[in-house]
Amino acid sequence: KLIRVISPDDIQKILTYSKKHEHEMYRIIFFALYTGCRREEIVKLRYEDIKDGCITIHGKGNKERLIPLVDKVYEVLHSQDVGRIFEYQHTSTLTNYFRRICSVCKVSARFHDLRHTAATQMISSGIPIEVVKAILGHVELRTTQIYAQVVADKMRQEMSKLKY
């Protein structure tokens, strides 16, 4: 199954539009890009899940994992002690709003592509693949290695532009 990664230009279009017109979706999209969380994981999040600079994610198969939160993520989280972090409570709401934002921005993307984009960007940024595996909650390293292949393919594509 091919993974789809959203280009940096398209990410900027999506973030710029959502920040201005759909602020709650901006917060969600930003969070997804910095954590690689799935829709189901995002709608379940509560402020009680944040402790010592990390957030506990309740993932597939009721497995829990810790993700460190970078300062930029704290900027989009409202300071509260209890309750839901994001107001949308259904995955279909995220899908529908994201689809509409992408349509307005003329970007072809699905909400799950934010997870692919986050993983690929983590690897491109030099985060060790074992760390990316843990952040994404993958059981098998080979699942995470798919994103490393995307990075290698992109490097080959970019290097083909080199001319003398």
Side-chain angles (χ1 to χ4, degrees), residues 22 95 121:
E22 297 282 351
T95 299
Q121 192 60 34

Side-chain angles (χ1 to χ4, degrees), residues 31-49:
F31 184 86
L33 287 168
Y34 275 89
T35 62
C37 286
R38 300 173 181 93
R39 295 174 312 158
E40 298 83 9
E41 296 166 344
I42 291 171
V43 297
K44 292 183 206 173
L45 290 174
R46 301 183 62 78
Y47 284 100
E48 298 91 335
D49 296 326

Side-chain angles (χ1 to χ4, degrees), residues 86-158:
F86 302 108
E87 68 181 66
Y88 302 140
Q89 298 180 25
H90 302 285
T91 57
S92 59
T93 303
L94 302 187
T95 299
N96 293 333
Y97 277 121
F98 188 74
R99 189 177 294 140
R100 188 175 73 202
I101 290 166
C102 288
S103 176
V104 169
C105 295
K106 297 185 180 0
V107 171
S108 176
R110 306 164 302 169
F111 191 89
H112 196 73
D113 296 340
L114 295 170
R115 179 173 167 84
H116 297 315
T117 302
T120 304
Q121 192 60 34
M122 287 176 202
I123 291 170
S124 294
S125 298
I127 298 173
I129 198 161
E130 296 82 9
V131 174
V132 177
K133 174 187 174 284
I135 289 170
L136 297 177
H138 289 155
V139 174
E140 299 289 332
L141 184 61
R142 69 176 175 226
T143 305
T144 314
Q145 288 171 331
I146 293 167
Y147 299 106
Q149 182 59 46
V150 170
V151 172
D153 290 345
K154 181 70 174 163
M155 288 190 314
R156 275 192 289 282
Q157 178 186 1
E158 292 302 316

